[in-house]
Amino acid sequence: MGMSKNLLLHFFKGIGAGIAIGIGGFFFVLMSYALPGEWGKVLGSLLFGIGLLIVCTFSLSLYTGKIGLIYEGKKNLTFYLSLPVMLSGNAIGAVGLGMALHFALINSDMVPVINATVASRLVFNDFPDYLSLMVRSFLCGFCVYMSVKFFNLAPVKPLGIFGLFLFVFIFVYAGFQHCVANMFYFGLDGCYEGFAFLNVLLCVIFNSLGPIAGVALFKIIPGTKGK
């Protein structure tokens, strides 16, 4: 396959991945609305994993699921070029789905829940807020890497699916920040302020660094080195 066709494929698969993560994000919002309080957060965090399960099952191009390959030593020009292409596709899919649902739900009772979900991602008062965002984004990148890795390496598929949902639950419930999920949330809320773009930029950077910890961890786990 030529480079241009490969990049085009990653672009469209990136759109699909953005939509899938948006679906997971909408499950989280929906459960937060249907079950206010802790149970809604728990169930929403679990159901968010459906989005990443779709990505992994259909081999879609999710930037945060692929960036870790760099730290595994994959050095291929086409792969490096594909990363911004798939991230662009992720943005189109996630924001596009968010915008569509925004207009569908603009007069619904879900608006306060949507506003609260976005507000929790846009707290920038001083340096500790920025530091918190960076750390939570880094940890999210680590969790996504671990989710995808367990899904691919598990000796039996049910175990891989369990590992995927476990790490997704951890990062969603803990409030770690995922760049593509946030793109969806901002589109859902109709929020296009400068702080939203800054949030996504920082999330992309530190989501990209998070897999370093995952790669290092797998190098010390017996039987997984080099996989």
Side-chain angles (χ1 to χ4, degrees), residues 99-143:
M99 291 176 65
L101 290 171
H102 170 76
F103 289 109
L105 301 171
I106 197 167
N107 294 316
S108 77
D109 295 336
M110 291 182 64
V111 171
V113 176
I114 295 171
N115 292 340
T117 300
V118 170
S120 68
R121 286 159 171 78
L122 286 176
V123 179
F124 292 121
N125 295 319
D126 47 33
F127 179 73
D129 288 335
Y130 287 95
L131 182 60
S132 174
L133 172 61
M134 294 173 193
V135 172
R136 287 186 290 157
S137 298
F138 179 90
L139 292 173
C140 179
F142 167 76
C143 286

Side-chain angles (χ1 to χ4, degrees), residues 8-18 58-62 90:
L8 188 62
L9 179 61
H10 276 299
F11 177 71
F12 285 111
K13 292 175 74 172
I15 293 175
F58 295 98
S59 300
L60 301 178
S61 297
L62 179 65
N90 294 164

Side-chain angles (χ1 to χ4, degrees), residues 16-18 20-21 50-62:
I21 295 301
I50 292 174
L52 190 57
L53 180 62
I54 293 172
V55 170
C56 292
T57 300
F58 295 98
S59 300
L60 301 178
S61 297
L62 179 65

Side-chain angles (χ1 to χ4, degrees), residues 150-151 154-164:
F150 268 98
F151 181 84
V156 292
K157 192 54 64 178
L159 183 60
I161 293 174
F162 172 78
L164 182 149

Side-chain angles (χ1 to χ4, degrees), residues 30-41 113:
L30 191 61
M31 292 301 101
S32 298
Y33 167 74
L35 297 170
E38 201 64 20
W39 282 111
K41 184 179 180 181
V113 176

